[in-house]
C-alpha cells in the first residue's frame, strides 16, 4: 500500500502508511503573526473507529527544506498520537462558537507582526515551480498535500495564500498551485 514520506533537510521525520487510513494531511503553514517562520503538521484519520492522529508537529526555520513524497509502500513511523495522548492534562473543551466578526478583527489587529515578508518556494516532480510570498494584504501561506482513500495512489498538492484572519466572514483564499501527485511523485519546498 502507498505511504506518504516526509523529510526535513534530507532527514526522514515520518512515514505514514495508507493501510487503515481514510486520509493523510501534510501541511506547512506560515503566518505573519506567528513567532516561528513556519510549522509542519502531519495528521490523518483512521478507518472505523475514526480516530484523528498527529504524526508530526514541529516548527521550521528559514532555509529549511521539506520533501513530501508518495511512495509505493512504507510502514508508519513514528506512530500517530491522539489529542489526549499528546495533551493528557488538557481540560475538556467546549464546542467552538464562531466569534463576532468585529471582535475577531479587533483581536487580530492587536496581534504582533513577527514577519513583514516571507516566502515558500515549491518544486513538484512534474516540474512545476512556484514561489508564494507575502505582500500587501497577504497574511499567510500554506502548502498542503492531502491523500484520501478514494484517490488510492494519488494526492492533492495545494499552495494557497490567505488575505485575512481565517475566522472572519470575508476570508479570501487564492491558490497559487493545484496539482495531483501520482505514486512516485514528490513536492519539495523551502522556507524563505
Amino acid at each position: 500500500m502507498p505511504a506518504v514520506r516526509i523529510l526535513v533537510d534530507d532527514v526522514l521525520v515520518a512515514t505514514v502508511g495508507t493501510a487503515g487510513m481514510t486520509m493523510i494531511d501534510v501541511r506547512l503553514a506560515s503566518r505573519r503573526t506567528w513567532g516561528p517562520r513556519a510549522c509542519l503538521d502531519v495528521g490523518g484519520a483512521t478507518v472505523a473507529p475514526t480516530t484523528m492522529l498527529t504524526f508530526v508537529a514541529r516548527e521550521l526555520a528559514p532555509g529549511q527544506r521539506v520533501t513530501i513524497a508518495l511512495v509505493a509502500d512504507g510502514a508508519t513511523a513514528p506512530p500517530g498520537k491522539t489529542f489526549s495522548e499528546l495533551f493528557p492534562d488538557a481540560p475538556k473543551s467546549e464546542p467552538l462558537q464562531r466569534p463576532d466578526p468585529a471582535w475577531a478583527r479587533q483581536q487580530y489587529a492587536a496581534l504582533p507582526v513577527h514577519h513583514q515578508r516571507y516566502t515558500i518556494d515549491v518544486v513538484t516532480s512534474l516540474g512545476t515551480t512556484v514561489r508564494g510570498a507575502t505582500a500587501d494584504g497577504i497574511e499567510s501561506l500554506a502548502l498542503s498535500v492531502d491523500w484520501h482513500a478514494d484517490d488510492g495512489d494519488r494526492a492533492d498538492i495545494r499552495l494557497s495564500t490567505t488575505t485575512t484572519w481565517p475566522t472572519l466572514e470575508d476570508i479570501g483564499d487564492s491558490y497559487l498551485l493545484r496539482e495531483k501527485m501520482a505514486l512516485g511523485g514528490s513536492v519539495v519546498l523551502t522556507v524563505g
Side-chain angles (χ1 to χ4, degrees):
M1 303 250 354
V4 178
R5 183 169 293 145
I6 303 97
L7 298 94
V8 176
D9 295 331
D10 298 322
V11 175
L12 181 65
V13 295
T15 300
V16 182
T18 59
M21 302 295 289
T22 57
M23 59 84 66
I24 300 167
D25 176 54
V26 181
R27 184 172 176 82
L28 181 131
S30 188
R31 180 173 292 285
R32 291 179 347 120
T33 54
W34 286 352
R37 181 65 106 191
C39 295
L40 173 65
D41 295 292
V42 181
T46 63
V47 178
T50 300
T51 304
M52 298 303 293
L53 298 172
T54 297
F55 300 94
V56 175
R58 67 184 285 176
E59 296 178 2
L60 297 172
Q64 287 198 285
R65 189 176 70 248
V66 178
T67 304
I68 304 156
L70 187 60
V71 297
D73 60 19
T76 298
K81 293 186 178 183
T82 64
F83 181 84
S84 60
E85 289 172 323
L86 290 170
F87 306 102
D89 299 328
K92 295 283 183 191
S93 61
E94 297 295 320
L96 293 176
Q97 301 290 324
R98 184 172 178 85
D100 172 64
W103 177 86
R105 280 187 187 87
Q106 182 181 25
Q107 296 300 308
Y108 174 70
L111 292 173
V113 174
H114 293 278
H115 312 289
Q116 289 297 330
R117 180 170 169 77
Y118 56 87
T119 60
I120 296 178
D121 292 308
V122 178
V123 179
T124 73
S125 54
L126 293 178
T128 305
T129 302
V130 177
R131 169 172 270 193
T134 57
D136 290 340
I138 303 291
E139 164 56 25
S140 67
L141 298 170
L143 178 105
S144 62
V145 176
D146 298 314
W147 173 88
H148 295 274
D150 293 343
D151 290 336
D153 60 356
R154 298 173 66 85
D156 292 311
I157 303 170
R158 289 185 298 278
L159 176 63
S160 62
T161 63
T162 302
T163 57
T164 191
W165 186 247
T167 59
L168 302 181
E169 294 172 5
D170 58 346
I171 185 170
D173 285 335
S174 176
Y175 288 101
L176 303 176
L177 170 67
R178 293 181 89 164
E179 191 170 291
K180 284 281 191 187
M181 179 168 55
L183 190 63
S186 64
V187 58
V188 178
L189 61 97
T190 305
V191 177

